Amino acid sequence: MHGSRSLVEEFGCSLEGRNDVDVIVFPPALYLPLAVERLEGAQVGVQNVHLEKAGAYTGEVAAEMAAEMGARYALVGHSERRRLFSETDEIVAGKYEAAMRAGLVPILCVGETLEERREGRQAEVVLSQLDAVLHAGVQGSEVIAYEPVWAIGTGETATPSEAQAMHATIRAALGDADIRILYGGSVTAENAGALFAEDDIDGGLVGGASLEPASFNAITYAADQ
C-alpha cells in the first residue's frame, strides 16, 4: 500500500525496455487502469484476488475484474498476505486457482521465516507451501517467487548461494526447467547482478526498491545483462 498517481506516471516516463526481460508492475488495485495505460513496455498485475468470481464481498477484487481491466498477472500467497491477513495454504491454493480461472498468470510466493531457517526447516516449509497448491488439483505454474520472510523489508538478503540453493530445490521438486523462479527479499540495484548470475535465479520480485523508478530500472538492467 505504497505509491501515488504521480509515481505511476513517473514510472511511465522512466521505464526502459530491455531485450530479454519481462517487466511486470503490481500497483495497488486502484491504480491498475492508470498503470495499464501509462506503463509502456511493462505488463501489469494485481497484488491480490478473491477466491470467488462475484458476490457480497465488500472491498474485494475478483480475478475476472482485474483481467477485464488489463491485468495479466496476480501475486498469490505473498508473505504479507499469509502473515497479516491469515491466508492459509488452502486459501492460497484457492486464489491460485481463481487467478488461472480468470486467465491471469499466478505468481506463487513461498518462503520461510527466520525461526524456520534457524531450525533448518527452510526446504521443508517451502516445499510444503508448493505442495498445498499442487495437491489442490492446480496444475503447473509459469512463475514461482521465493521470498525468505526474514529478508523482506529488513535490509537482510539471502546470499546468492543461499538463494540459489533454495531455487535449485524448488526447480528439482517441480521437475520443470522452464518454470521461472524469482528471488524476492530486499533486492536492490546493488545486489541484483550477483543474484541474477546464479543458475536457477530467473529474476526478482522487487519490493522497496520498486518505489524508486531509477532503482527499479537499474534492476531490470541487471537482469537484462
Side-chain angles (χ1 to χ4, degrees), residues 114-122:
L114 181 59
E115 180 181 1
E116 290 163 343
R117 174 164 279 270
R118 286 175 173 170
E119 293 171 350
R121 298 195 297 117
Q122 61 267 29

Side-chain angles (χ1 to χ4, degrees), residues 121-140:
R121 298 195 297 117
Q122 61 267 29
E124 172 191 342
V125 170
V126 167
L127 295 182
S128 175
Q129 292 170 346
L130 287 172
D131 286 344
V133 172
L134 300 180
H135 288 170
V138 180
Q139 297 299 315

Side-chain angles (χ1 to χ4, degrees), residues 32-170:
L32 175 63
L34 180 64
V36 169
E37 175 187 344
R38 297 297 178 88
L39 301 185
E40 294 185 13
Q43 299 182 72
V44 179
V46 286
Q47 299 175 8
N48 184 41
V49 295
H50 193 268
L51 285 78
E52 303 295 336
K53 291 182 178 180
Y57 304 104
T58 299
E60 294 295 310
V61 175
E64 284 79 5
M65 293 175 176
E68 184 178 27
M69 297 307 294
R72 294 294 174 262
Y73 291 81
L75 292 180
V76 179
H78 191 281
S79 61
E80 290 166 6
R81 297 299 310 180
R82 295 178 189 264
R83 177 171 57 88
L84 299 176
F85 300 95
S86 303
E87 291 192 2
T88 63
D89 285 342
E90 181 179 10
I91 291 174
V92 171
K95 290 189 172 186
Y96 186 105
E97 190 168 11
M100 294 191 68
R101 179 190 68 215
L104 300 177
V105 176
I107 297 183
L108 175 63
C109 302
V110 296
E112 80 283 1
T113 65
L114 181 59
E115 180 181 1
E116 290 163 343
R117 174 164 279 270
R118 286 175 173 170
E119 293 171 350
R121 298 195 297 117
Q122 61 267 29
E124 172 191 342
V125 170
V126 167
L127 295 182
S128 175
Q129 292 170 346
L130 287 172
D131 286 344
V133 172
L134 300 180
H135 288 170
V138 180
Q139 297 299 315
S141 173
E142 292 186 34
V143 190
I144 302 290
Y146 168 57
E147 45 163 15
V149 179
W150 49 271
I152 299 174
T154 63
E156 297 291 332
T157 309
T159 65
S161 60
E162 287 173 333
Q164 163 60 25
M166 183 60 75
H167 281 234
T169 297
I170 293 171

